[in-house]
Amino acid sequence: MITLSKLAKTFQTKDGNVTAVDHVDLTIDKGEIFGIIGYSGAGKSTLIRLLNMLETPSSGEVTIADKNMNQLSKKELRQARQEMGMIFQHFNLLWSRTVADNIAFPLEVKGMPKAEQKKRVDELIKLVGLEGRGGSYPSQLSGGQKQRVGIARALANDPKVLLCDEATSALDPKTTDSILDLLVDINQKLNLTIVLITHEMHVIQKICHQVAVMENGLIVEQGPVLDVFKQPKENMTKEFVKQVTEPEETEEAIRHLFEKDGIGQILQLTFVGGDAKKPLMTDIVRKFDVSISILQGKISQTRNGPYGSLFVSINGERELIDEVIAFIREQQVEVEVVHGE
C-alpha cells in the first residue's frame, strides 16, 4: 500500500543543513495500523508530511497505492491527496463553522452537490459518534469531540489512507482511549490503512499492528508490535516499552528489596501472547524446592494479544535456581536475572 524508498529530507538553516529524515525504507500493508514512535525531534512529523507531499523529499521515493508521489503533476497530486485524510494534534477546525460545516468543507472544495454533501456528513457524524451535535460550534465541544470532528472531516472524501499526527497528545487518558477505539473501529469497518505518529507507547500498544522507532531521522527498529515488545533491541525502544510494561517505581522497589537479607535472586519474566495465561508460578512451586515471591508485575493488551512483565524473587540452592530458569525458558517465557548472581 505504502512504500518509502531511501526517503530523505534535509532542511537548510542558518546553522547549516539539518537532516530530518535520513534515507528511510519502509513498507506499510493495506488495512494495517502502522505506528511511528519517537521523541521530539526524531523526524516523525516530517516523515508523515512527506507521505502526502506537504514536504518535498530531498531524495528518495514515496509510492502509495501504486502511485509514485514524486512524479505526479500538481493536478494529479491534488487528486491523490483526496485519497489521504489527515488528523492533527490541535484539531485544526474552522471555528466559525458548525460541526456539520467543518465536515462538509472538503466536500465543498471537491464540488459535491449540496444534497450529497448532507447525506455524507450525516453518515460521518453517526460513524464518529456525534449524533445531535451537527449544529454545534467547536468552542462548544470537548477535546475528544473536536478530534472526532477532525476524524470525520478527514474521512469525508472516502480516503484509502488516514494519517494521524500526534492525534491524541492533547487529550486526557480516558479520552485518548475512546479516540483510539474509534480509530480501530474505522480501520475494521472501512479496511482503512492508518499511519500514526506518537511519542506515547500506550498508543502503539493499544491499536497498532506494526511499529517503527525513529531516532535522529533514522528508523532504528521496526516490526510487529508483539515482537518489538518481546525483544526490543535498541535502548530507545526499551525505554518506550518500559512506559507501558513496568510500573515507574519498579527499579527503586527492587533496589530496596535487594538490600534486605534473604531476598535471593530477582528475575524478570516476560510473557507474550497466550504465555501470559500460563500458571507458571504454580508449576514452579510444585516442581522445585525453591521459594518464590512476586514483587511487581503488569500485563498490557496489544492488538495481537497480551504482553506481561513480572518481577519475582527466588530463594534456593544455586543448582535448583538454574533449573528453574531453564524450565521457565522451556515454557517459551523470556527470563532475565536482574539482581543476584
Side-chain angles (χ1 to χ4, degrees):
M1 181 64 182
I2 300 174
T3 303
L4 310 182
S5 179
K6 303 299 181 186
L7 189 64
K9 178 64 179 181
T10 299
F11 294 99
Q12 294 181 344
T13 72
K14 294 179 180 179
D15 299 320
N17 292 341
V18 175
T19 300
V21 175
D22 194 354
H23 297 87
V24 164
D25 292 314
L26 204 61
T27 299
I28 299 171
D29 293 335
K30 180 176 175 57
E32 196 167 57
I33 303 181
F34 195 103
I36 301 170
I37 190 167
Y39 291 123
S40 179
K44 56 190 188 299
S45 290
T46 302
L47 181 63
I48 204 168
R49 288 171 63 85
L50 288 167
L51 294 184
N52 57 8
M53 293 289 155
L54 291 177
E55 294 286 354
T56 304
S58 300
S59 62
E61 294 185 343
V62 177
T63 303
I64 299 180
D66 298 324
K67 294 179 182 177
N68 188 322
M69 302 293 287
N70 308 59
Q71 298 178 357
L72 300 182
S73 66
K74 289 183 178 180
K75 181 180 179 181
E76 290 170 335
L77 184 56
R78 285 194 298 270
Q79 292 173 340
R81 282 176 177 155
Q82 290 182 359
E83 297 182 348
M84 290 182 282
M86 191 163 185
I87 57 177
F88 305 89
Q89 178 179 358
H90 296 296
F91 320 126
N92 286 17
L93 301 181
L94 299 169
W95 295 90
S96 61
R97 283 176 167 246
T98 64
V99 166
D101 289 341
N102 264 281
I103 298 171
F105 182 70
L107 303 176
E108 293 174 13
V109 173
K110 188 178 181 180
M112 180 181 285
K114 287 286 186 181
E116 292 181 30
Q117 284 184 38
K118 185 179 185 308
K119 181 181 177 182
R120 179 63 175 154
V121 168
D122 289 344
E123 291 173 352
L124 291 166
I125 285 177
K126 183 177 180 180
L127 178 65
V128 301
L130 286 175
E131 294 97 327
R133 301 310 301 266
S136 300
Y137 288 88
S139 61
Q140 299 170 316
L141 304 178
S142 68
Q145 289 171 330
K146 290 172 188 172
Q147 195 56 285
R148 288 173 185 267
V149 177
I151 292 170
R153 181 183 59 187
L155 296 175
N157 282 320
D158 195 21
K160 297 177 180 177
V161 177
L162 182 63
L163 307 177
C164 307
D165 188 357
E166 296 279 11
T168 59
S169 295
L171 305 176
D172 63 76
K174 185 177 180 180
T175 305
T176 291
D177 282 345
S178 71
I179 293 298
L180 295 178
D181 289 339
L182 175 60
L183 290 176
V184 170
D185 185 52
I186 290 168
N187 167 255
Q188 293 173 342
K189 286 181 177 177
L190 306 180
N191 194 28
L192 188 67
T193 304
I194 299 177
V195 183
L196 62 86
I197 66 169
T198 183
H199 62 274
E200 301 171 297
M201 198 62 178
H202 167 73
V203 173
I204 301 294
Q205 162 225 323
K206 187 172 176 66
I207 71 169
C208 292
H209 301 102
Q210 300 269 339
V211 60
V213 182
M214 281 197 79
E215 184 177 15
N216 297 325
L218 298 165
I219 299 291
V220 297
E221 189 164 353
Q222 69 180 88
V225 170
L226 266 183
D227 290 353
V228 171
F229 268 56
K230 184 177 181 180
Q231 291 183 319
K233 298 178 178 64
E234 301 293 326
N235 289 333
M236 173 72 68
T237 312
K238 292 175 183 177
E239 288 180 19
F240 280 124
V241 170
K242 283 183 178 180
Q243 288 181 8
V244 291
T245 59
E246 294 183 23
E248 292 181 3
E249 69 276 9
T250 294
E251 186 174 344
E252 182 179 356
I254 288 175
R255 178 168 54 81
H256 285 307
L257 284 166
F258 192 64
E259 290 171 355
K260 297 180 180 180
D261 292 335
I263 193 65
Q265 291 191 23
I266 297 178
L267 311 179
Q268 179 180 5
L269 280 57
T270 302
F271 304 80
V272 178
D275 296 335
K277 299 179 181 179
K278 290 183 178 179
L280 186 58
M281 297 299 103
T282 302
D283 291 344
I284 290 172
V285 172
R286 287 175 177 171
K287 290 177 179 289
F288 302 95
D289 185 20
V290 296
S291 61
I292 190 164
S293 301
I294 296 174
L295 304 178
Q296 290 199 31
K298 185 175 182 180
I299 293 179
S300 300
Q301 191 67 33
T302 74
R303 286 293 304 273
N304 296 317
Y307 172 97
S309 184
L310 186 67
F311 290 85
V312 301
S313 69
I314 183 168
N315 278 282
E317 295 182 6
R318 175 61 183 271
E319 292 78 8
L320 278 176
I321 292 177
D322 289 343
E323 290 180 22
V324 169
I325 292 173
F327 172 75
I328 293 171
R329 288 177 175 147
E330 287 172 2
Q331 310 310 305
Q332 305 302 309
V333 175
E334 299 288 325
V335 59
E336 178 185 357
V337 180
V338 293
H339 281 289
E341 297 181 357

